[in-house]
Amino acid sequence: MSQAAPQNPAERLVWRALVWTWPFYAIGALYVVGPVLGWSLAGLAVLALYLGPAIRPELRATGPVPALAWLWMAGMLLMLFALWAGHLDWGLGLGKTIKSSIGWAKGWALIPLFILAGAVLPIRREVLVRGQCKLGLWTLCLAPPLLAAPYLGLPSQIFTSPLKAVGGPGPEYFSVYLYTIDPASWTPRWQFFAPWSPFAALLGVCMVLFALEERHRGWMAVGLSAGILMILASKSRMGLVGLVACTMGPRLLPLVARSIGWFLVSAVATASAAWGAAAIDLGNQALQNFKSARADSTRVRETLQRIAYERWQSDAVLFGHGTVKPGAHLVEYMPIGSHHTWYGLLFVKGITGFVAFIVPFAVHFGVVITDAVRSARGRLPLGLLMTLLLLTFGENIEIEAYLLWPALLMLGCHLREMAGTGAQPSA
């Protein structure tokens, strides 16, 4: 049996959910699959912890719940409290509070649930790595008709699944697209199995990161090719930044942490003293070119962030507004509190929600950076956390957790690896 083949029910469940991503997308079911998988795996983890040796051997807990997983759970429960308090402050009513609480269960709650499952259940990183490469094979096989669709005159959207009746952030989460048209340039962009193109690009970055861990050269090439295709075809600036920063950063970190790294840093610092002004001017010019590549998008995002920040300061510092608010023509009717996790948290859940997310995220980042300096096993989780951080500056991360679950599960697996319990069930 291949080392990457699923060897227990938990791994088989994860494997099928990952490999069948495209068939699930074809029926508009991905937004349903993600939360169901998260709560199922977390329930299985709790059951394994509760039953101990009484559960079947291949499903026994690999160890206790890590402290960091408890911190994530505490943070997301505080997030739920901030949601209830915000709804109460603004008199949004019981119906809307229940609906938003269900949204929390399908969004913020998935972060600690998947981390818990990865930390407790005997799920190996090899299964996630090979599963991503299998998903990459699906993507490469479907790429020719997707890329040709706009030039053959095929419609952009195929259909919206009736599963939208379960509720969600919008119909795009249940819709099947061949491509979309960029309103700024009127050229096609591809979003693959994501609800929009920039998110697809960062999913492509995650695929590249997983593929770099693959030991089989053929599968590695498949995963890398598919991930890079997703990044390029989405035409996302953030994806290009992630491709470079999130792959190179974790590999350069140990070098920087060692003496040769400090020598190089000091050499760069010395050179910067002589050429600092020119370097700053060059950096500013590069930033302006980056923003002007999609000037309309940049303007809308910056305006949304400014409005969200000002209204948080003036109206609802502690618990926020409870929900996003409709935007005006100035921001192309985009909701206030969207398109940025940090400003969105301040606007919707106030400083309470902001702290509830940034504390476990920062602690987890510190833990992973420390391990990445010491061991190669920290490269993948660090790259994934860097991708998630990049995502927070352009998206609301909670409504995308249903597709980010392989990364979240990997973060949990890494906590288990650091504890030295491996992926074998405890006796």
Side-chain angles (χ1 to χ4, degrees):
M1 181 182 293
S2 170
Q3 187 179 8
Q7 296 178 5
N8 58 65
E11 288 188 340
R12 283 191 285 272
L13 184 60
V14 168
W15 176 267
R16 287 168 183 164
L18 188 52
V19 173
W20 294 356
T21 294
W22 273 106
F24 285 135
Y25 176 70
I27 59 174
L30 281 179
Y31 189 75
V32 177
V33 170
V36 169
L37 179 66
W39 283 95
S40 299
L41 288 174
L44 192 58
V46 171
L47 186 65
L49 289 166
Y50 177 74
L51 294 179
I55 200 170
R56 53 195 297 182
E58 67 269 27
L59 277 178
R60 289 176 188 167
T62 56
V65 179
L68 195 46
W70 284 115
L71 181 62
W72 271 112
M73 286 186 275
M76 295 308 101
L77 286 175
L78 181 59
M79 189 80 72
L80 180 61
F81 172 77
L83 183 151
W84 289 341
H87 277 65
L88 185 63
D89 282 349
W90 291 89
L92 298 180
L94 180 61
K96 195 150 192 175
T97 301
I98 293 174
K99 182 178 179 182
S100 295
S101 299
I102 295 173
W104 169 87
K106 296 186 292 184
W108 289 115
L110 295 184
I111 298 176
L113 292 180
F114 279 115
I115 291 175
L116 170 67
V120 171
L121 295 175
I123 300 171
R124 294 163 299 133
R125 71 161 62 196
E126 292 86 358
V127 174
L128 293 171
V129 168
R130 181 61 58 84
Q132 281 281 355
C133 293
K134 288 270 189 177
L135 174 57
L137 181 60
W138 274 90
T139 303
L140 291 178
C141 291
L142 292 170
L146 289 176
L147 297 177
Y151 306 105
L152 295 177
L154 298 178
S156 169
Q157 181 178 341
I158 299 178
F159 76 101
T160 298
S161 172
L163 289 171
K164 70 177 182 179
V166 304
E172 62 271 20
Y173 288 80
F174 303 94
S175 298
V176 180
Y177 294 88
L178 294 176
Y179 61 94
T180 54
I181 297 296
D182 185 349
S185 61
W186 293 102
T187 57
R189 301 176 75 184
W190 287 265
Q191 58 202 66
F192 299 90
F193 48 85
W196 46 73
S197 298
F199 184 27
L202 290 179
L203 289 175
V205 173
C206 289
M207 186 175 290
V208 168
L209 292 171
F210 275 105
L212 288 172
E213 295 282 311
E214 175 60 61
R215 298 177 181 178
H216 188 283
R217 294 299 179 182
W219 282 116
M220 176 189 284
V222 168
L224 290 175
S225 300
I228 292 172
L229 173 65
M230 291 177 67
I231 295 167
L232 297 179
S234 68
K235 301 180 181 179
S236 168
R237 299 167 296 169
M238 193 178 297
L240 293 173
V241 171
L243 178 61
V244 177
C246 300
T247 55
M248 294 182 61
R251 285 158 176 78
L252 292 176
L253 184 62
L255 179 65
V256 174
R258 297 188 184 105
S259 57
I260 185 173
W262 290 115
F263 174 79
L264 292 175
V265 169
S266 63
V268 171
T270 303
S272 298
W275 303 95
I280 291 173
D281 290 341
L282 184 62
N284 288 335
Q285 184 61 45
L287 180 61
Q288 290 302 317
N289 292 338
F290 181 80
K291 290 183 175 181
S292 63
R294 292 179 54 80
D296 290 340
S297 174
T298 299
R299 176 188 60 79
V300 169
R301 289 176 181 272
E302 290 178 347
T303 305
L304 279 172
Q305 294 162 19
R306 186 181 69 251
I307 294 173
Y309 184 75
E310 290 173 354
R311 291 185 60 181
W312 163 69
Q313 278 191 317
S314 62
D315 299 341
V317 174
L318 193 57
F319 298 117
H321 292 78
T323 184
V324 297
K325 301 292 184 182
H329 176 69
L330 178 65
V331 290
E332 299 181 5
Y333 305 103
M334 296 292 182
I336 307 300
S338 66
H339 290 75
H340 199 288
T341 296
W342 306 107
Y343 285 105
L345 276 173
L346 289 174
F347 181 82
V348 176
K349 295 181 176 64
I351 194 66
T352 304
F354 187 90
V355 170
F357 181 64
I358 197 171
V359 169
F361 190 89
V363 173
H364 205 146
F365 217 110
V367 168
V368 170
I369 285 178
T370 302
D371 193 56
V373 171
R374 298 172 178 171
S375 170
R377 73 183 174 194
R379 291 176 183 173
L380 176 56
L382 178 56
L384 293 173
L385 268 180
M386 290 175 66
T387 305
L388 296 182
L389 179 62
L390 193 61
L391 189 63
T392 63
F393 292 107
E395 308 281 354
N396 292 78
I397 197 169
E398 76 278 9
I399 61 175
E400 297 170 342
Y402 77 103
L403 282 180
L404 293 170
W405 67 262
L408 299 172
L409 199 60
M410 183 60 236
L411 293 178
C413 293
H414 176 247
L415 294 181
R416 184 189 65 231
E417 293 169 354
M418 289 182 64
T421 52
Q424 298 302 319
S426 57

